[in-house]
Amino acid sequence: MNQKPDLGALFGAGETSTFLGLDACTDLSTLDAPIAILGVPCATPYASVGPYCRNAPAALRQATAPLTANLERHDFDSGGQVFPEKRLRAVDCGDLAFDESDGAANRDAIRGAVRTILDRGAVPVLLGGDDSIPIPMLQAIGDTAGERRFTILQIDAHIDWRQTHMNEPMGLSSTMRRASEMAHVERIVQVGARGIGSAATTDYEDALAWGVSFVPARELHRAGVQAALDLIPEGSDIIVCIDADAIDPSLVPGVIARSPGGLTYDEITDLVRGAAARGRIAAIDFVEFMPERDVDGIGALFFARVITTALGVIARQKA
Ligand SMILES: [Mn+2]
C-alpha cells in the first residue's frame, strides 16, 4: 500500500534526460536550432557554501517528464503549442562540466559556450546553478554585441549590487554590480526586491546613481507588471535574469533565502511575455533553484513551467 501509483504512465512518460524531452545537442559547434537550453550547475561559488544549486538542471528536467509526451497539445499559457512549429523547437545541450574550486575556469567555459550559442544564431537559455552564472553569460553577450546595447530585466528578491562578498567579486551577490560595469549594458530594470537582502543601503544608492530602475515586489503587486514593462523602451534587446527567489516561497520553497511577498506565476510569466512584446529577448537565465530545499517537487514543477512558458515566448519571437 506504500507504493505510489506511477502517474507518469497516465500522462505518457516518467523519465526524461532532456528538458521537455526535446532533442539533445551534444556538440555546440553543430548547434542548429533557434533556442539552446544549457545546464550550468556552477560558476563562482562562495567557498563557505559550494555549488549548492548544482542539482537544479537535472531536477528541472525531471519536473518536465510528465509533459514530454504532450508537447503537441494546446498550451493555454502559450496560446497554442509551446513551439508552434517543429523548426522553432529548442534543443537541450546538457550540462557544462565544472570544477567547484576553480571559478575562473568555470566562467571561461560558460562564456565560451554562450558565445558559441550566440554565434550559431540561437537564444541561450541557461539553467543554473547559483546567481553567479549570469556574469560570464553577460560577458559572452558583450563579446558578440558589436554596437548593440542591451537592457537587463532582472527579476529577483535581491538586488545583487555588492562590490565583493567573502573577497569574491564574481559571486552571486555582485551580479548586477558587475553587469553595470559592462559597456554593452545600457539599462537595468530590477523587479521583485523585498525584505532584508545582501545589499547595504549604499549598494542600493550606487545602483540608483548608476540609473537602475527598481520595481520592488510590493510596488509590482500594487501597480501591476505593466509598470515594470513601461521602463523597457520599445525595440530593446533584452537580457532576462530570473532568480527563483523572486517567486513567492509558498510557490517555490527550493531557494536558500525564502522571502515572503514574492511574485506569482502570472506576474513572472507576464513579465517575460511583456518583455518580448517590448523588444527581443536575446538571452535568459534561471538560477538559484535548490532541489534539496524544495517540498515534494512543487517548486521544481513551478519553475520548470515558467521556463516552458519562456521557451514558447522566445519561439514566437523567432517565428
Ligand atoms: Mn540573485
Side-chain angles (χ1 to χ4, degrees):
M1 289 301 279
N2 288 329
Q3 207 180 353
K4 281 190 183 176
D6 180 7
L7 293 178
L10 172 66
F11 293 117
E15 294 279 332
T16 182
S17 59
T18 64
F19 198 87
L20 289 171
L22 293 163
D23 287 347
C25 170
T26 53
D27 178 1
L28 282 182
S29 69
T30 64
L31 174 66
D32 181 23
I35 307 168
I37 298 165
L38 182 65
V40 187
C42 176
T44 320
Y46 296 127
S48 61
V49 286
Y52 56 85
C53 292
R54 64 191 297 167
N55 294 318
L60 293 169
R61 290 187 182 99
Q62 184 53 36
T64 67
L67 299 176
T68 54
N70 306 332
L71 206 50
E72 292 179 5
R73 293 193 193 162
H74 187 81
D75 173 23
F76 280 89
D77 296 359
S78 297
Q81 293 183 18
V82 174
F83 301 100
E85 299 171 48
K86 279 224 164 71
R87 68 178 180 91
L88 297 174
R89 285 192 179 184
V91 294
D92 189 336
C93 304
D95 286 357
L96 281 184
F98 65 92
D99 176 346
E100 68 179 78
S101 62
D102 193 346
N106 298 334
R107 291 193 298 274
D108 283 349
I110 297 164
R111 187 173 183 166
V114 173
R115 202 160 46 209
T116 302
I117 291 169
L118 293 168
D119 285 342
R120 304 287 300 172
V123 174
V125 176
L126 267 53
L127 311 183
D130 72 39
D131 206 352
S132 62
I133 272 103
I135 297 174
M137 178 187 84
L138 294 167
Q139 289 172 326
I141 294 166
D143 294 340
T144 57
E147 297 300 307
R148 289 161 72 205
R149 295 293 174 265
F150 292 81
T151 294
I152 293 178
L153 172 62
Q154 185 234 26
I155 307 173
D156 195 323
H158 312 105
I159 69 170
D160 301 345
W161 265 81
R162 273 186 176 176
Q163 194 59 263
T164 66
H165 182 54
M166 297 175 169
N167 294 319
E168 175 55 72
M170 305 298 268
L172 62 101
S173 305
S174 307
T175 306
M176 287 301 117
R177 171 84 72 167
R178 296 290 87 78
S180 75
E181 297 162 350
M182 299 181 192
H184 63 290
V185 175
E186 70 171 0
R187 186 175 295 96
I188 304 178
V189 178
Q190 300 195 228
V191 179
R194 60 192 189 273
I196 300 173
S198 56
T201 299
T202 50
D203 294 326
Y204 174 62
E205 290 167 348
D206 286 352
L208 288 174
W210 186 89
V212 170
S213 299
F214 286 102
V215 183
R218 187 160 163 268
E219 195 177 320
L220 187 81
H221 298 315
R222 196 178 56 237
V225 295
Q226 197 57 45
L229 296 170
D230 286 345
L231 298 166
I232 301 172
E234 293 275 354
S236 297
D237 278 313
I238 303 163
I239 303 161
V240 185
C241 297
I242 296 182
D243 184 319
D245 67 26
I247 300 155
D248 195 78
S250 62
L251 303 167
V252 179
V255 296
I256 56 166
R258 296 169 181 158
S259 180
L263 274 57
T264 65
Y265 181 78
D266 287 331
E267 284 172 333
I268 197 159
T269 54
D270 280 347
L271 282 167
V272 173
R273 272 189 206 98
R278 297 293 286 188
R280 197 187 66 93
I281 295 175
I284 189 166
D285 69 71
F286 298 89
V287 300
E288 289 289 331
F289 179 66
M290 184 175 171
E292 294 83 352
R293 294 262 294 163
D294 201 9
V295 176
D296 198 26
I298 193 72
L301 170 68
F302 187 110
F303 211 31
R305 282 294 306 275
V306 173
I307 296 164
T308 301
T309 299
L311 290 170
V313 167
I314 296 167
R316 279 163 178 72
Q317 76 181 7
K318 285 275 191 176

